[in-house]
Amino acid sequence: MTNNIQKTISLDDIDPRLLLGVDNSHSDLIEKELDVEIVSRGVWINIKGDAENVLQAEKVVKDIIDHIKATGELNDRYILYSIAIVRENGMPPSREIDIESGLIISAVTQKLIKPKTVGQKNYIDLIENKDIVFSIGPAGTGKTYLAVAMAVRAFKTKQVARIVLTRPAVEAGENLGFLPGDIRAKVDPYLRPLYDALADMMAFDKVKKLMELGVIEIAPLAFMRGRTLNNAFVILDEAQNTTSAQMLMFLTRLGEGSRAVITGDITQIDLDNRKASGLLPAKKIMGHIEGIGFISLTEKDIVRHKLVQDIIKAYAKISQPLKGPEGKSVGRR
């Protein structure tokens, strides 16, 4: 005996075409993922199917309506994210994220930069409440981007006087050879993702001027040795490619009034000896220290193309990372 039920939801407050998608692509996706039938009737939709599936679909549809009201848009990635959160927690993400809480207004796009997933919201909260935060997770989860956004906000609100962005200069399974130019030209390829994130939040001329004044610094990790960084927001990106000695060196650079965010993906270690990564034992060594926070983001927090989630899951099934011709891990965010 089947336990089929039907739920009816009003779409009065939104454009039904946004929820249903082009040629019903959005409703078809919900039907496929939750094994329900969705029928549109003007400004109403009916959801039919097994009781448990229908109740989940109802939560997802109502969450999507909240999302459309808040953002004016909808894509497949958010639908899949909403479904994943409802399945895991029994509650939709809009009930767990303050969708009105923002970070900064991008000077480039004029968009409000804010967390898009529960994991990202927890990440932001941790940065606000801890002096040192470790963020570990796969590519596309916003680890670096949100850290840079928080650094820019801290600078604009005068919580810090400087922004320092650094990452180890380790090749990702490729031999870049002897690059021409001065030291800046040689290390810039390693630091480009940090430039990209910063350029999305501040006007180019502003960034250039602040870099000339030394207020914003983007440099390889090796350049941090022997320094003390006071009143600064410091970000160590690609921390999976640091050794334990480098990690200790970086953490002991922090001076008065400084904060640090360390980001990394332990599935993309490019060191010859993966076990030498300073990120792997970090939580075991420092997890008990007051003022240091750790967060693990997952594939549900990926905010890039929806296929990136499937790619991450596919590679996660491989026990050893894919190796390049020189025996180094390949793949990069």
Side-chain angles (χ1 to χ4, degrees), residues 79-118:
I79 294 171
L80 292 171
Y81 170 68
S82 180
I83 291 171
I85 294 298
V86 167
R87 281 173 169 165
E88 181 175 325
N89 300 336
M91 293 296 291
S94 63
R95 300 299 174 87
E96 300 188 44
I97 302 178
D98 178 5
I99 56 179
E100 296 303 321
S101 67
L103 298 180
I104 66 170
I105 298 290
S106 168
V108 179
T109 64
Q110 295 302 309
K111 280 190 174 182
L112 188 67
I113 298 171
K114 57 187 178 182
K116 296 181 178 179
T117 72
V118 175

Side-chain angles (χ1 to χ4, degrees), residues 78-289:
Y78 186 83
I79 294 171
L80 292 171
Y81 170 68
S82 180
I83 291 171
I85 294 298
V86 167
R87 281 173 169 165
E88 181 175 325
N89 300 336
M91 293 296 291
S94 63
R95 300 299 174 87
E96 300 188 44
I97 302 178
D98 178 5
I99 56 179
E100 296 303 321
S101 67
L103 298 180
I104 66 170
I105 298 290
S106 168
V108 179
T109 64
Q110 295 302 309
K111 280 190 174 182
L112 188 67
I113 298 171
K114 57 187 178 182
K116 296 181 178 179
T117 72
V118 175
Q120 288 187 349
K121 179 62 166 62
N122 293 337
Y123 179 29
I124 295 305
D125 290 343
L126 203 59
I127 293 175
E128 289 180 334
N129 292 291
K130 300 287 184 178
D131 289 334
I132 299 176
V133 172
F134 285 80
S135 174
I136 302 170
T141 50
K143 301 184 301 297
T144 302
Y145 193 81
L146 290 176
V148 173
M150 291 296 284
V152 171
R153 188 177 77 168
F155 174 72
K156 286 186 172 182
T157 56
K158 303 187 184 305
Q159 297 175 47
V160 297
R162 300 182 59 203
I163 297 174
V164 179
L165 311 175
T166 185
R167 56 160 37 186
V170 177
E171 295 173 352
E174 301 163 350
N175 188 353
L176 299 181
F178 296 95
L179 296 172
D182 59 15
I183 186 64
R184 173 62 61 189
K186 292 178 186 295
V187 300
D188 269 0
Y190 299 100
L191 306 172
R192 177 50 53 189
L194 295 173
Y195 284 107
D196 291 343
L198 194 59
D200 199 28
M201 299 168 203
M202 300 178 72
F204 174 78
D205 290 345
K206 179 74 170 177
V207 173
K208 184 178 178 181
K209 181 179 180 181
L210 292 175
M211 290 184 67
E212 289 173 352
L213 294 172
V215 175
I216 294 178
E217 180 180 357
I218 304 178
L221 180 60
F223 287 21
M224 298 296 110
R225 190 173 298 279
R227 301 175 59 186
T228 300
L229 302 173
N230 292 315
N231 199 22
F233 196 116
V234 192
I235 298 172
L236 171 58
D237 193 33
E238 300 289 348
Q240 75 276 4
N241 289 328
T242 64
T243 64
S244 289
Q246 288 174 320
M247 181 67 76
L248 177 60
M249 180 274 289
F250 170 78
L251 292 172
T252 53
R253 298 310 93 201
L254 295 183
E256 288 294 326
S258 287
R259 301 155 65 185
V261 177
I262 298 95
T263 72
D265 178 358
I266 58 175
T267 69
Q268 295 194 42
I269 298 173
D270 298 311
L271 299 173
D272 289 330
N273 179 6
R274 289 175 52 83
K275 293 182 180 179
S277 171
L279 187 60
L280 293 175
K283 188 171 184 179
K284 183 177 180 181
I285 294 172
M286 295 173 283
H288 67 286
I289 299 177

Side-chain angles (χ1 to χ4, degrees), residues 25-26 28-30 32-33 74-83 139-140 299-314:
S25 59
H26 292 162
D28 288 348
L29 180 58
I30 299 171
K32 177 185 175 183
E33 292 293 321
L74 180 65
N75 55 37
D76 289 356
R77 184 202 58 77
Y78 186 83
I79 294 171
L80 292 171
Y81 170 68
S82 180
I83 291 171
E299 67 273 3
K300 290 192 292 296
D301 298 301
I302 293 172
V303 293
R304 292 182 183 169
H305 192 288
K306 65 187 182 70
L307 285 177
V308 174
Q309 281 193 14
D310 297 330
I311 293 169
I312 295 294
K313 290 178 182 178

